[in-house]
Amino acid sequence: MVLATPMCSLVIAGLCAVVSPADADGDGQAMAAGGAAASSDASVSAGPPSRNLQDEIAELRAKMLEMESRHQNEMAALRAEYGDRWLTEQRAEEIRALVRDVISDAQSRTNLKGQGATAGWDRHFFLASEDGKFKMQVRAQIQARWALTDQNMGSAASAAAGSPSQPTSSDNTWGFEFRRMKLDFSGYIIDPSWTYELQPIWNRFQTVTATNGSLENVFIQKELADGLSVRVGQYKVPFNREEFITSTMQMVIERSLASEMLTPKFSQGLMADWRTEHFRLRGFFGDALRANGSGVRVSGAGLDQGNAGPLANYNGGFNQPIGTNPVNYAMSTRGEWRMAGNWSQFRDMMGTPDEDFGVLLGGAFMAQSLRQIPATSAANPVNPMKSMWAATGDLTIELPGAHLFAAGIYRRVNLVDSMMTRDGSADDGMDQWSLMVEAGHFMTDSVELYGRYEWGDSDSNKFRTFAGATNANGEQLSILTVGVNWFPEGSKNRNLKWTADIGFGFTPIIDWANSGADWMVDYTNNGGGSNDGQVVIRTQMQLLF
């Protein structure tokens, strides 16, 4: 190859000169050295390049030599067929374009090095400083879901107060939605002991006056000595393990209704985290905790009789400024004992085929007392919570290709006002509880079957004394869910996952209903009972990068 060989040598030598560090006052000595290196690689620059740059140069040189060999074979064939007419202007332009692309790539790498930064892909996109004082990972989550909810919905004329009805609600509700869309920026600054996370999200709902954007995790954390770290900001409160595990690493398409109702979610405050080889202890103190199903919806002239509607929710301190939903105190603490296995395998709710045997035992306690409570009124027909406490215990067992998780939660809710009950007495609180067990098994490295059963009682029927609601049954929970996960690239690659499941409600779903899980509030007939038999079918594609 008469022209290509010296050209390749010149490009390689030029790359060596461009990427090599030179004296700041060298006035172009590196470029001069690059010209001299066209015939010899012995003199390239005033100083040796970094190890990474040397590897890149060697890789580029190998690619150029491979291209040279291929081009020699092509030219021999062309000469044999066309003689000297093979080198057309089009062919010459292709060679020039190739050389320009190689030089441009080398210059971009040199510019990045000159700025003291590195970037690339290591399971996630990242940007880092060369001195090791800064790193940022960029991740994203997309969950695209189709769901169908089938229930027996009656007319508005015969509905009890507080009950949904036709035509606002229908027997069959189905459609598509983006259940979750998140970006995540995390890493460290100054040194790896100072970590951070910023997680903007886009919710399913959008109002007329506002966008559907929000924030979940936003915190700064400092790693101290002996396994101790301290975090400040907004994040998941340490209580129920199912809720604490990210939605990207769940086995079932959505968390259980028991977890959604009885578990605090995000709040703002301080958290200390201490971990040893076998034990982990986390403690939180901060703003108000979320409390779904903690207020009684009321009707009647005195707004003192519970109706057939679901219990009311309390949003807590999630994305709230100082002075909103103030508390006397709000705290939570969780402890875990790793009896077998390693900590990393308990970052998800699955037991993949490549994992070892593992056992994790956990327990938690939380409590809060509200300082400012909205009064019951026509605009706010709810007898709200004034204080609450809860405890939970859970067991996780993982085998190669199998997973078992069981959890129980108890919560005591104290209401602002005492209310008359169905038996004629008065009460000012609810004793709520749930039990949940789920199991999964990988049939192959790519296909996992799973099942879940959840059972609970919200202790709210006693307050449903308003006319037409005396036979309503909204407190019970009994649901069976079975489904399948498929990982197109195998269980080790979680970046793409398809899930489908079907759930059967054996009791009316009222207090425990959750639209994020696609379980809707069931119908209650005026003076009659509440309908059961709700069926939910869901399928979802999850993409992570």
Side-chain angles (χ1 to χ4, degrees):
M1 183 175 179
V2 178
L3 294 177
T5 301
M7 184 177 295
C8 291
S9 300
L10 179 59
V11 170
I12 295 171
L15 292 176
C16 293
V18 170
V19 298
S20 299
D23 192 326
D25 298 325
D27 295 330
Q29 290 179 2
M31 290 301 294
S39 59
S40 173
D41 292 329
S43 176
V44 177
S45 66
S50 67
R51 177 61 184 169
N52 289 338
L53 293 175
Q54 286 179 335
D55 293 343
E56 292 174 356
I57 292 169
E59 182 179 352
L60 288 171
R61 180 181 285 114
K63 289 181 179 179
M64 293 297 293
L65 291 176
E66 180 184 353
M67 292 165 55
E68 178 182 346
S69 176
R70 186 169 64 250
H71 288 165
Q72 284 177 342
N73 294 334
E74 292 175 354
M75 286 187 295
L78 288 168
R79 283 196 181 98
E81 184 174 357
Y82 298 105
D84 293 333
R85 292 180 294 112
W86 68 273
L87 188 58
T88 64
E89 182 61 30
Q90 180 181 358
R91 183 66 173 176
E93 179 56 33
E94 290 176 354
I95 295 174
R96 286 193 291 268
L98 174 63
V99 173
R100 284 196 299 267
D101 289 344
V102 173
I103 293 176
S104 175
D105 179 74
Q107 288 176 340
S108 66
R109 296 169 185 266
T110 305
N111 291 338
L112 188 61
K113 177 183 179 297
Q115 295 168 358
T118 60
W121 171 269
D122 182 13
R123 294 187 300 170
H124 308 288
F125 294 110
F126 74 90
L127 179 66
S129 63
E130 197 173 53
D131 60 9
K133 293 185 177 181
F134 171 82
K135 184 175 183 179
M136 180 176 67
Q137 293 186 124
V138 182
R139 294 175 290 182
Q141 175 190 11
I142 300 172
Q143 288 183 344
R145 181 183 300 178
W146 179 89
L148 181 146
T149 301
D150 181 79
Q151 54 187 153
N152 184 11
M153 192 64 63
S155 67
S158 59
S163 171
S165 60
Q166 293 181 338
T168 304
S169 300
S170 62
D171 289 347
N172 295 296
T173 303
W174 64 270
F176 292 88
E177 69 175 0
F178 283 107
R179 178 61 182 91
R180 291 178 178 88
M181 295 179 290
K182 302 181 183 182
L183 288 176
D184 189 280
F185 304 91
S186 62
Y188 60 81
I189 190 166
I190 300 177
D191 62 62
S193 70
W194 286 97
T195 57
Y196 64 89
E197 184 171 358
L198 172 64
Q199 189 176 61
I201 67 168
W202 288 265
N203 295 316
R204 298 167 296 137
F205 302 107
Q206 183 173 1
T207 64
V208 176
T209 59
T211 66
N212 55 352
S214 184
L215 292 171
E216 286 191 345
N217 288 309
V218 185
F219 63 80
I220 302 169
Q221 180 169 298
K222 172 62 177 176
E223 299 288 338
L224 303 174
D226 300 322
L228 179 65
S229 65
V230 178
R231 177 184 296 185
V232 60
Q234 177 172 280
Y235 42 85
K236 289 281 185 74
V237 174
F239 184 69
N240 180 27
R241 169 167 151 74
E242 182 187 4
E243 182 64 44
F244 210 65
I245 299 298
T246 173
S247 59
T248 64
M249 295 296 173
Q250 295 289 325
M251 179 178 66
V252 185
I253 207 167
E254 195 66 54
R255 296 181 180 94
S256 66
L257 298 187
S259 175
E260 291 294 338
M261 178 167 162
L262 299 180
T263 299
K265 207 174 181 72
F266 289 92
S267 192
Q268 301 174 11
L270 286 169
M271 183 175 75
D273 186 348
W274 177 64
R275 189 172 76 175
T276 67
E277 183 179 358
H278 293 284
F279 296 96
R280 187 170 190 175
L281 181 64
R282 285 171 284 204
F284 165 87
F285 184 85
D287 290 348
L289 307 176
R290 184 192 76 166
N292 286 346
S294 61
V296 178
R297 299 183 189 273
V298 294
S299 297
L303 295 177
D304 56 358
Q305 294 177 286
N307 60 38
L311 292 173
N313 301 330
Y314 177 73
N315 292 330
F318 179 47
N319 282 327
Q320 298 295 330
I322 294 175
T324 302
N325 298 334
V327 295
N328 296 314
Y329 60 84
M331 55 80 65
S332 180
T333 183
R334 175 175 173 83
E336 294 175 337
W337 176 23
R338 182 179 62 80
M339 304 171 68
N342 56 78
W343 286 113
S344 62
Q345 73 184 96
F346 297 110
R347 294 175 182 171
D348 58 30
M349 298 293 284
M350 290 177 281
T352 55
D354 62 322
E355 289 183 335
D356 297 327
F357 172 71
V359 179
L360 182 70
L361 183 65
F365 175 84
M366 57 83 68
Q368 70 173 341
S369 171
L370 306 188
R371 182 155 46 95
Q372 181 177 326
I373 305 168
T376 302
S377 64
N380 181 45
V382 173
N383 183 10
M385 164 195 70
K386 68 177 180 181
S387 65
M388 58 177 273
W389 64 269
T392 183
D394 53 76
L395 174 66
T396 305
I397 300 176
E398 292 194 354
L399 301 166
H403 164 86
L404 175 66
F405 176 74
I409 304 174
Y410 170 81
R411 184 173 74 178
R412 170 66 185 182
V413 175
N414 299 308
L415 301 172
V416 171
D417 299 313
S418 179
M419 296 179 63
M420 189 66 65
T421 64
R422 286 178 175 178
D423 63 6
S425 62
D427 202 339
D428 63 352
M430 294 178 286
D431 296 296
Q432 303 172 331
W433 59 267
S434 71
L435 294 173
M436 186 273 281
V437 59
E438 66 180 29
H441 176 66
F442 277 85
M443 306 303 293
T444 70
D445 184 55
S446 299
V447 178
E448 179 187 30
L449 300 181
Y450 65 76
R452 171 199 282 164
Y453 179 72
E454 46 190 313
W455 180 35
D457 192 311
S458 62
D459 195 28
S460 63
N461 283 349
K462 61 187 178 184
F463 294 123
R464 292 187 166 96
T465 60
F466 187 65
T470 54
N471 292 320
N473 179 17
E475 67 183 18
Q476 294 183 356
L477 171 68
S478 179
I479 290 177
L480 174 66
T481 303
V482 293
V484 59
N485 288 317
W486 175 51
F487 301 88
E489 296 298 317
S491 61
K492 290 184 179 180
N493 189 337
R494 313 283 183 85
N495 292 334
L496 188 63
K497 181 178 76 167
W498 172 76
T499 305
D501 65 19
I502 181 170
F504 305 90
F506 302 112
T507 60
I509 305 302
I510 296 179
D511 290 344
W512 303 87
N514 186 283
S515 64
D518 304 297
W519 287 90
M520 307 303 179
V521 178
D522 275 324
Y523 177 83
T524 299
N525 185 274
N526 186 17
S530 303
N531 294 341
D532 57 14
Q534 187 172 164
V535 176
V536 175
I537 301 173
R538 306 175 292 193
T539 182
Q540 175 178 281
M541 284 295 297
Q542 175 174 269
L543 175 66
L544 309 176
F545 63 86

